[in-house]
Amino acid sequence: MASDEQEKPLAPTAYRISVPEDRAMSMELKRLYSNRYYVKWCGCISALFLILVVVVLVLVFTVFRVKDPVIKMNSAKIEGLDRLNVSNIDPSTNLTVIADVSVKNPNVASFKYENATTRLFYDGVVVGEARTPGGRAKARRTVRLNLTIDVMLGKILDVPRLGADLRSGVLPVSSYTSISGKVKIVNVIKRNVVVRLNCTMSVNITSRGIQDQHCRRHVSL
Ligand SMILES: *[C@@H]1O[C@H](CO)[C@@H](O)[C@H](O)[C@H]1NC(C)=O
Ligand SMILES: *[C@@H]1O[C@H](CO)[C@@H](O)[C@H](O)[C@H]1NC(C)=O
Ligand SMILES: *[C@@H]1O[C@H](CO)[C@@H](O)[C@H](O)[C@H]1NC(C)=O
Ligand SMILES: *[C@@H]1O[C@H](CO)[C@@H](O)[C@H](O)[C@H]1NC(C)=O
Ligand SMILES: *[C@@H]1O[C@H](CO)[C@@H](O)[C@H](O)[C@H]1NC(C)=O
Ligand SMILES: *[C@@H]1O[C@H](CO)[C@@H](O)[C@H](O)[C@H]1NC(C)=O
């Protein structure tokens, strides 16, 4: 019994002593653990944030980067040249230039363009003008347009070098096309784009075709 009574208070004392130690240990452990927990979480969040930043940067510089729409003249032909008597030109003869133009949109967003203007020059004089209605080039798609330009023959007849050019059989002409539009990527990135295309070409009187076509394009974002 005595041993029992002696043992009894011992156990609580041992217990009592061990309690604060345990508590301190557990607190220490808890702090260590929570520190590690924080470090772990901070690391995780930082890593995630970094990955997110890299992903966004990659997207901005690749997919979401606004790229230049490419405008190209595939072919051009003149209608009505067969009705023209070169040795006796009638100014009321209707000549029409039909140009096949393609607008390639390399962006992941659609390119919405407004009215396009095309002017035809002969010796620096505007001899024809065409207006093409606006439209939309879908993402990564190419739109083909037929530009129809009515040639003002009366203006061509006023050009002094016409006689010499007719004798050589080749008329050097140039064209200027301007298309302005907007590239909009998920309503966040909006960019006004003006695409210009300058071409020089020669009209062959005998073959009634267009040859030696050289184009230069210019884009302003
Ligand atoms: C072209 O005009 C000239 C002079 O007027 C005329 O002699 C000739 O017959 C005409 N040619 C054609 C194909 O109409
Ligand atoms: C040229 O076109 C106009 C209007 O499109 C027309 O009135 C005229 O008769 C045409 N002229 C010729 C020679 O075809
Ligand atoms: C495009 O052309 C149409 C018809 O000519 C005109 O009503 C419209 O205002 C033009 N739009 C622009 C942006 O020039
Ligand atoms: C352009 O014209 C050509 C021939 O005149 C025709 O085959 C083609 O379908 C036209 N394209 C458009 C987009 O109108
Ligand atoms: C294209 O032609 C237009 C009109 O003739 C001119 O103002 C412009 O400077 C030319 N641009 C280029 C790149 O040749
Ligand atoms: C015009 O076209 C014809 C037939 O294609 C060709 O024989 C001739 O050489 C051309 N003229 C010039 C100046 O290139």
Side-chain angles (χ1 to χ4, degrees), residues 83 90 92-94:
R83 290 194 298 265
D90 175 7
S92 72
T93 308
N94 289 339

PDB file of all heavy atoms in Angstrom, residues 83 90 92-94, ligand 2:
ATOM      1  N   ARG A  83     -10.903  45.685-127.235  1.00  0.00           N
ATOM      2  CA  ARG A  83     -11.776  46.658-127.899  1.00  0.00           C
ATOM      3  C   ARG A  83     -11.023  47.929-128.283  1.00  0.00           C
ATOM      4  O   ARG A  83     -11.570  48.812-128.897  1.00  0.00           O
ATOM      5  CB  ARG A  83     -12.945  47.045-126.967  1.00  0.00           C
ATOM      6  CG  ARG A  83     -13.957  45.919-126.746  1.00  0.00           C
ATOM      7  CD  ARG A  83     -15.221  46.447-126.114  1.00  0.00           C
ATOM      8  NE  ARG A  83     -14.985  47.035-124.801  1.00  0.00           N
ATOM      9  CZ  ARG A  83     -15.131  46.354-123.660  1.00  0.00           C
ATOM     10  NH1 ARG A  83     -15.548  45.112-123.677  1.00  0.00           N
ATOM     11  NH2 ARG A  83     -14.878  46.932-122.524  1.00  0.00           N
ATOM     12  N   ASP A  90     -10.162  55.423-128.707  1.00  0.00           N
ATOM     13  CA  ASP A  90     -11.425  56.080-128.372  1.00  0.00           C
ATOM     14  C   ASP A  90     -11.478  56.231-126.845  1.00  0.00           C
ATOM     15  O   ASP A  90     -11.483  55.228-126.131  1.00  0.00           O
ATOM     16  CB  ASP A  90     -12.588  55.202-128.881  1.00  0.00           C
ATOM     17  CG  ASP A  90     -13.950  55.744-128.467  1.00  0.00           C
ATOM     18  OD1 ASP A  90     -14.010  56.860-127.901  1.00  0.00           O
ATOM     19  OD2 ASP A  90     -14.951  55.036-128.706  1.00  0.00           O
ATOM     20  N   SER A  92     -13.744  56.751-124.829  1.00  0.00           N
ATOM     21  CA  SER A  92     -14.914  56.199-124.137  1.00  0.00           C
ATOM     22  C   SER A  92     -14.815  54.685-123.958  1.00  0.00           C
ATOM     23  O   SER A  92     -15.686  54.071-123.357  1.00  0.00           O
ATOM     24  CB  SER A  92     -16.192  56.559-124.895  1.00  0.00           C
ATOM     25  OG  SER A  92     -16.266  55.813-126.083  1.00  0.00           O
ATOM     26  N   THR A  93     -13.734  54.082-124.490  1.00  0.00           N
ATOM     27  CA  THR A  93     -13.560  52.634-124.325  1.00  0.00           C
ATOM     28  C   THR A  93     -13.370  52.322-122.840  1.00  0.00           C
ATOM     29  O   THR A  93     -12.593  52.982-122.155  1.00  0.00           O
ATOM     30  CB  THR A  93     -12.329  52.139-125.111  1.00  0.00           C
ATOM     31  OG1 THR A  93     -12.423  52.600-126.460  1.00  0.00           O
ATOM     32  CG2 THR A  93     -12.242  50.623-125.104  1.00  0.00           C
ATOM     33  N   ASN A  94     -14.106  51.355-122.373  1.00  0.00           N
ATOM     34  CA  ASN A  94     -13.988  50.995-120.953  1.00  0.00           C
ATOM     35  C   ASN A  94     -12.908  49.943-120.762  1.00  0.00           C
ATOM     36  O   ASN A  94     -13.004  48.860-121.305  1.00  0.00           O
ATOM     37  CB  ASN A  94     -15.324  50.435-120.441  1.00  0.00           C
ATOM     38  CG  ASN A  94     -16.364  51.519-120.323  1.00  0.00           C
ATOM     39  OD1 ASN A  94     -16.032  52.699-120.232  1.00  0.00           O
ATOM     40  ND2 ASN A  94     -17.622  51.122-120.312  1.00  0.00           N
TER      41      ASN A  94
HETATM   42  C1  LIG B   2     -18.444  52.308-120.468  1.00  0.00           C
HETATM   43  O1  LIG B   2     -19.134  52.180-119.220  1.00  0.00           O
HETATM   44  C2  LIG B   2     -20.154  53.142-119.057  1.00  0.00           C
HETATM   45  C3  LIG B   2     -20.719  52.942-117.665  1.00  0.00           C
HETATM   46  O2  LIG B   2     -20.386  51.705-117.147  1.00  0.00           O
HETATM   47  C4  LIG B   2     -21.210  52.960-120.139  1.00  0.00           C
HETATM   48  O3  LIG B   2     -22.216  53.933-119.971  1.00  0.00           O
HETATM   49  C5  LIG B   2     -20.573  53.115-121.509  1.00  0.00           C
HETATM   50  O4  LIG B   2     -21.503  52.863-122.509  1.00  0.00           O
HETATM   51  C6  LIG B   2     -19.399  52.165-121.659  1.00  0.00           C
HETATM   52  N1  LIG B   2     -18.701  52.424-122.906  1.00  0.00           N
HETATM   53  C7  LIG B   2     -18.356  51.489-123.763  1.00  0.00           C
HETATM   54  C8  LIG B   2     -17.658  51.940-125.014  1.00  0.00           C
HETATM   55  O5  LIG B   2     -18.581  50.298-123.559  1.00  0.00           O
END
